[in-house]
Amino acid sequence: MKQGNTENSETAQKPVEKTGRLKRWLREALFMVIIFTVVSVAVDLWRGQSLPDGVMPDMMVTTIQGENIDVKALSHEQPVLIYFWATWCSICRFVSPTVNWMNSDYPVVSVALSSGEDSRLAGYLKHHEYNFPTVNDNRGGIARQWGISATPTLVIVKNGEVVSSTTGIATPPGVWLRMLLAG
């Protein structure tokens, strides 16, 4: 009989142990998410110190596709996503598909930094099937005007003012939510 009781108590302890482990794992996962979020926001704030705040710099550009864009005027219609990136940027390879997806719902102007001649940049865009309008800032003039210190940098402009900016990896839901809130 004692064996039966021992077996029952051991069986009863297993679900309790599993529940305890699950709670501990969830607590640790939540802690890691909070730490990641705090570090990410801190890095974003530090990198974004040089970005314009409030009124955006004038930005009348011609894309490598031959389109003339007045970004400030365009931002009075709806939020505009300005994407500073480079073909050599490894993180940009994760962010560019998101920007390409956003281009179907919002105006996007991308600025390629130090990425070679127009033909090389056009080939890169075609190879990756990116359809967003792209300005070739091969000499960095636009990047200096905007105070860009890291790639990728995403800036959201509405009514001629910078309303949001972020650097580094950005997720599709995060970019979409920022655009939605800017609208």
Side-chain angles (χ1 to χ4, degrees):
M1 287 241 168
K2 286 188 176 184
Q3 282 185 341
N5 289 339
T6 307
E7 286 178 20
N8 286 341
S9 64
E10 286 177 14
T11 310
Q13 281 183 338
K14 287 185 181 181
V16 171
E17 287 176 16
K18 285 183 181 180
T19 304
R21 275 188 258 161
L22 180 62
K23 284 181 181 178
R24 187 175 51 235
W25 183 86
L26 287 173
R27 203 173 30 245
E28 288 177 13
L30 179 62
F31 178 73
M32 293 305 289
V33 166
I34 290 169
I35 293 294
F36 177 78
T37 302
V38 168
V39 169
S40 179
V41 168
V43 168
D44 232 14
L45 290 171
W46 181 72
R47 284 183 179 169
Q49 293 176 49
S50 60
L51 292 173
D53 193 23
V55 178
M56 67 172 274
D58 287 332
M59 191 171 176
M60 301 227 7
V61 293
T62 302
T63 66
I64 63 170
Q65 295 90 352
E67 182 181 6
N68 294 319
I69 301 174
D70 180 349
V71 179
K72 191 177 272 191
L74 186 60
S75 76
H76 287 283
E77 297 170 19
Q78 61 181 326
V80 177
L81 176 63
I82 305 172
Y83 175 47
F84 295 92
W85 65 288
T87 57
W88 46 264
C89 168
S90 58
I91 302 298
C92 298
R93 293 186 184 134
F94 295 102
V95 177
S96 293
T98 298
V99 173
N100 198 51
W101 172 67
M102 292 303 300
N103 187 45
S104 62
D105 295 324
Y106 292 98
V108 170
V109 177
S110 80
V111 180
L113 309 175
S114 304
S115 294
E117 298 300 318
D118 287 359
S119 59
R120 182 179 181 277
L121 185 55
Y124 180 90
L125 293 168
K126 183 178 179 180
H127 174 75
H128 292 283
E129 299 179 359
Y130 296 147
N131 301 313
F132 43 78
T134 302
V135 177
N136 191 355
D137 189 23
N138 215 14
R139 297 179 190 229
I142 298 171
R144 278 190 298 280
Q145 182 183 15
W146 279 79
I148 301 301
S149 61
T151 56
T153 296
L154 295 113
V155 178
I156 299 171
V157 179
K158 176 67 176 159
N159 295 323
E161 293 192 15
V162 174
V163 294
S164 177
S165 64
T166 188
T167 59
I169 291 180
T171 63
V175 175
W176 179 79
L177 186 59
R178 286 174 184 255
M179 292 298 285
L180 193 65
L181 291 172

